Each structure stands twice: as C-alpha cells, then as structure tokens.
Amino acid sequence: MAIREILKMGDPFLLKKADPVKQFNTAELNQIIQDMIETMEANDGAGLAAPQIGLSMQLVIFGFQKNERYPEAETVPFTILINPKIKPLGDEKENGWEGCLSVPGLRGVVPRYKKINYQGYDQFGKKINRDVEGFHARVVQHECDHLLGILYPMRIEDLSMFGFHDVIFPE
Ligand code: NI
C-alpha cells in the first residue's frame, strides 16, 4: 500500500486519453485501487482518476460522507468505476465550484450536466448503471474527463470565476 504522487496540471500525461481496463479482479488492479483510495484520502479528495497517478487506465474512484474541501456538498456513495460511459439526461447544465488534486490551491466554476446516466464496472467486473444528479453527477463528469485528457480549467466558461481557494473562500 502506498500513497502515490499526483501529477499536476502542465504534465502532458494528464492530456492523454486513457486505455480501457481489460481484466478485472486481478491482484495488480486491486493494488492500484488500494493505492488510489489511500492517495485520495491522504489529500482529502472527492475523487481520483488513474491518469492522475500516471496510469493510462479507465479507472476512477470517488465518493465521500463529508468532505472538508466541499463542505456544502451532499454525500456521494464511495464508488470504483471502470471503463465508464456517461449519457446526459436532458440538456440542462448547472454551474458549480470545482477543484482538482492535479490543480492544487485553485477553484473554478464549471458548467456540468445536471442529470446523467453513467455505466461501467466495479473492480470485480460487476456492472454499474446509475441515474444521478447534482454534485454526484458533477463528480462523475469531472473524474471521467480525466480519462479523456480534460482538466476542469479547460471547461471554465467565465475565467473571472477561477482563482485561489483561500482567497475565494476565506476562513
Ligand atoms: Ni480532478
């Protein structure tokens, strides 16, 4: 078990598309997932995608009960999601603040689909199929963007809503 180093924005690896996972429930995959969980928890993250620790794999983890980085956000069930596909449910988007462990210290307002369906697999190859909305939908869209080589600042439409967390949200 190990806390992995998180790549930061500017690293070209974060701009690459990740490869699909072909084998489930292997010792190697389970070790990677354990390391991702430890890395996310050590950094108080709401989610983490495999490319953020330098792995070209369509694998994300997310979820929390209460997150210090997002005190207003509703609970999102802890999920391991592999080879995900997202479908928007309707055209409606909403704006919300996001941060990213690869973009430390910053926050920005990002438009995301309000409601989505997402499908994929857990670490055992069991199918996941959920309709979600709100912050849960936002986290999934953010994490799955990492698998496409997209970081949230690339989605910001109004750059006046992008800045340092401790300035925007003073204690
Ligand atoms: Ni991120």
Side-chain angles (χ1 to χ4, degrees):
M1 304 249 266
I3 295 169
R4 304 281 194 109
E5 190 192 338
I6 297 174
L7 304 183
K8 288 192 219 149
M9 183 169 65
D11 191 312
F13 193 83
L14 291 171
L15 304 176
K16 291 182 172 212
K17 282 191 182 167
D19 293 327
V21 173
K22 296 208 172 82
Q23 278 188 304
F24 298 97
N25 201 22
T26 64
E28 190 195 358
L29 180 64
N30 292 331
Q31 183 62 62
I32 289 166
I33 290 166
Q34 276 313 311
D35 286 357
M36 286 177 67
I37 292 169
E38 275 191 55
T39 304
M40 182 174 89
E41 286 175 351
N43 290 281
D44 261 324
L48 187 69
Q52 291 180 276
I53 59 165
L55 299 172
S56 182
M57 300 170 73
Q58 292 179 18
L59 160 62
V60 303
I61 65 171
F62 55 85
F64 53 87
Q65 294 293 316
K66 185 120 186 59
N67 189 291
E68 280 181 22
R69 285 163 53 87
Y70 301 93
E72 307 302 321
E74 65 259 37
T75 295
V76 176
F78 178 75
T79 303
I80 294 159
L81 181 64
I82 296 170
N83 299 346
K85 297 245 181 317
I86 294 178
K87 262 191 308 194
L89 299 174
D91 298 329
E92 199 183 344
K93 290 190 174 183
E94 64 187 358
N95 285 321
W97 287 98
E98 295 187 14
C100 180
L101 296 178
S102 293
V103 191
L106 293 165
R107 289 297 159 105
V109 168
V110 184
R112 299 286 186 187
Y113 288 106
K114 190 169 186 229
K115 295 183 185 175
I116 61 167
N117 169 268
Y118 69 91
Q119 300 190 24
Y121 301 89
D122 72 8
Q123 71 270 41
F124 306 110
K126 187 164 165 271
K127 183 104 191 175
I128 293 170
N129 182 351
R130 293 179 183 154
D131 292 345
V132 300
E133 59 185 300
F135 198 72
H136 189 159
R138 175 172 299 280
V139 168
V140 173
Q141 288 170 88
H142 175 115
E143 295 310 327
C144 292
D145 262 358
H146 280 295
L147 307 181
L148 302 171
I150 298 168
L151 299 169
Y152 83 81
M154 297 156 72
R155 298 267 193 206
I156 295 175
E157 289 176 354
D158 177 359
L159 281 165
S160 72
M161 304 294 274
F162 184 41
F164 289 93
H165 182 219
D166 57 354
V167 177
I168 299 165
F169 302 105
E171 293 290 310

